[in-house]
Amino acid sequence: MKRISLTQYLVEQQREHSRIPPPLRLLIEVVARACKHIAISVNKGALGDVLGSADTENVQGEVQKKLDVIANEVLIEANEWGGHLAAMASEEMDSIHIVPNRYPQGEYLLLFDPLDGSSNIDVNVSIGTIFSVLRKVGHHQGISEDDFLQPGKAQAAAGYCVYGPQTTLVLTLGDGVHMFTLDRETGSWVMTANHIQIPHDTKEFAINMSNLRHWARPVRKYIDECLAGKDGPRGKDFNMRWVASMVADVHRILTRGGVFLYPWDQREPAKPGKLRLMYEANPMAFLVEQAGGLATNGQQRIMDIVPTKLHERVGVVLGSRHEVERVNAYHAEGA
Ligand code: P6P
C-alpha cells in the first residue's frame, strides 16, 4: 500500500472519485487537525493541567473530566469559522451549537463524543474522539435539533481518533475504512491501512462481565456458550477483552476481528442501553459495516434506527458478521 497523507487521500477522493465535495473535504481536514490538538493535550497527562474532574456535569448527568471539556472546546473552535457546518452536537453539550452568524453557514452537521472513555484518562489507558457527519436536509431557514434526527444510514462520513500507543485516525466516506497514523515528526496523518475488512468469524468477545446478572436471556445464552469453550456448543475456546473505551475496543475489532456488546440490561429497564446512538453507535456502525461487519441492537440494524432525541441511547452488538448474526438469532428466538 502506498503511504499517502490524509490530505492526498482526500484530494484524490474529491478530484478523481468526486466522492466528496470541497466542504466535506475541509470538514474532515479540520476535524483531523482538531484531533491532533486534542492528542497534544491528552499526551501531556500530569505534566499539564488536564487530568482530573472539571467539577461540572454533562447532559448525561456524568461528572465531566477536564479533558472532556478541553476536547469539546477544541472541536467547537476548530469547526465554527470554516463555512462547512450549519451546526454541531456533542455528548458534552445539552443542546446543539449553531454556527454563529458572524461566520458563513454550511450544509453539514457534525456530531461528536469529544473524548470517549473518560474513565480511562487518569489511568493512562487509550481514549478517543468519535465523530459523525450528516447533511442538513431541506432548504428551510435556520437549524434546530430536529435537523440532526436522521438515521445512521444518512451519514456522509464517520470516524474516530484513538489516543493510544499510536495516535490513529480511522475514517470512512462510504468507500471503505482507512487508517491514518499521526507522524509526530512531520505532523502529518499517514495512511497505514486501507479498505479494512473485519473477519466474519472470531474467538474474541468484548463485554462488561460485571453486568452478567442484569442481561437479557439472549445475551446470557450467547456469552455462556462462548465461556463453555471447545467442550461447549461453539466447539472453540474464546478470549475476552474489555477496555471500557469503545474506541479502543472497536479499533481492536477493525484490526483483528471480534464482537463488542453493550446490550440493554435490567439495571435501568427504561433505557434502551448505555451508549449514545447519534455520536457513538451510529459512527461506529458505519465504520463496522463499511469493513464488512454488522452493527445491531440485537434486533434491528443500528443505522436504520430513526432517532427521536439527540442524546438517546441504544443497545449495541457489533463486529464480526457471523457472531452478530448469532446474537440477533438468539434475540429473535427469545433465547
Ligand atoms: P462501562 C465510556 O464511558 C463508554 O461510553 C464507552 O466508551 C465504553 O465502551 C463504555 O462506556 C464502558 O462502560 O459500564 O463498562 O464502564
Side-chain angles (χ1 to χ4, degrees):
M1 177 201 68
K2 184 166 172 275
R3 290 208 164 170
I4 61 174
S5 70
L6 174 65
T7 301
Q8 183 175 343
Y9 167 74
L10 293 172
V11 166
E12 287 173 358
Q13 287 298 308
Q14 176 188 330
R15 182 177 62 212
E16 291 160 23
H17 309 284
S18 66
R19 167 166 297 282
I20 57 168
L24 181 55
R25 175 187 144 202
L26 173 61
L27 192 167
I28 300 298
E29 287 189 312
V30 167
V31 169
R33 198 177 309 125
C35 288
K36 272 197 271 189
H37 291 179
I38 294 168
I40 289 165
S41 295
V42 167
N43 292 156
K44 281 199 175 83
L47 296 175
D49 181 22
V50 298
L51 298 184
S53 166
D55 296 329
T56 50
E57 275 194 1
N58 65 15
V59 64
Q60 330 288 343
E62 296 164 340
V63 173
Q64 291 176 303
K65 301 279 191 175
K66 286 180 186 169
L67 270 172
D68 285 324
V69 177
I70 290 166
N72 194 61
E73 286 166 359
V74 166
L75 283 160
I76 296 285
E77 286 160 18
N79 278 286
E80 63 179 359
W81 50 268
H84 51 285
L85 288 185
M88 292 175 251
S90 166
E91 179 187 80
E92 302 304 329
M93 299 187 300
D94 295 12
S95 51
I96 65 171
H97 178 86
I98 298 173
V99 169
N101 290 332
R102 64 182 179 278
Y103 299 125
Q105 283 222 346
E107 290 309 305
Y108 289 100
L109 307 174
L110 179 65
L111 303 94
F112 45 83
D113 179 355
L115 207 62
D116 175 68
S118 302
S119 63
N120 284 320
I121 293 173
D122 295 352
V123 294
N124 200 13
V125 170
S126 298
I127 49 184
T129 296
I130 310 173
F131 63 91
S132 170
V133 181
L134 292 169
R135 295 175 186 84
K136 180 186 173 192
V137 293
H139 299 289
H140 52 279
Q141 283 304 312
I143 186 91
S144 74
E145 185 170 303
D146 289 349
D147 291 291
F148 283 79
L149 301 182
Q150 303 176 41
K153 59 192 169 190
Q155 292 174 97
Y160 62 80
C161 185
V162 52
Y163 310 112
Q166 301 100 44
T167 298
T168 302
L169 183 75
V170 180
L171 172 70
T172 186
L173 301 169
D175 181 33
V177 178
H178 313 289
M179 286 189 186
F180 301 86
T181 300
L182 180 61
D183 178 340
R184 292 182 176 281
E185 290 169 19
T186 62
S188 293
W189 293 104
V190 177
M191 183 181 276
T192 45
N194 66 355
H195 294 292
I196 289 160
Q197 285 298 300
I198 300 172
H200 289 175
D201 294 298
T202 183
K203 294 180 179 178
E204 198 159 62
F205 67 88
I207 196 167
N208 183 336
M209 288 295 290
S210 70
N211 300 324
L212 183 147
R213 66 189 181 283
H214 306 301
W215 296 335
R217 277 204 311 274
V219 173
R220 181 67 190 265
K221 175 179 179 176
Y222 174 75
I223 296 297
D224 282 347
E225 290 184 351
C226 290
L227 294 174
K230 60 181 180 300
D231 302 327
R234 301 300 309 273
K236 60 182 181 180
D237 289 337
F238 279 76
N239 193 14
M240 193 206 91
R241 287 286 182 274
W242 187 249
V243 185
S245 277
M246 187 183 196
V247 172
D249 282 314
V250 170
H251 193 75
R252 184 188 58 256
I253 288 168
L254 284 169
T255 305
R256 68 186 191 210
V259 60
F260 170 100
L261 302 95
Y262 210 119
W264 169 92
D265 68 42
Q266 290 151 351
R267 285 176 293 171
E268 295 183 83
K271 276 186 187 175
K274 171 181 184 182
L275 302 179
R276 290 81 174 181
L277 174 62
M278 299 302 294
Y279 38 79
E280 288 178 335
N282 271 339
M284 293 308 202
F286 193 11
L287 289 162
V288 165
E289 287 198 6
Q290 282 286 310
L294 292 178
T296 75
N297 61 3
Q299 285 103 347
Q300 184 181 8
R301 183 183 178 228
I302 282 177
M303 291 212 286
D304 285 340
I305 297 172
V306 179
T308 56
K309 290 182 294 193
L310 187 62
H311 297 291
E312 80 180 60
R313 297 171 187 262
V314 68
V316 176
V317 182
L318 61 76
S320 292
R321 170 175 294 273
H322 294 161
E323 294 305 312
V324 177
E325 285 169 346
R326 180 182 290 267
V327 177
N328 292 351
Y330 291 174
H331 279 85
E333 62 193 44

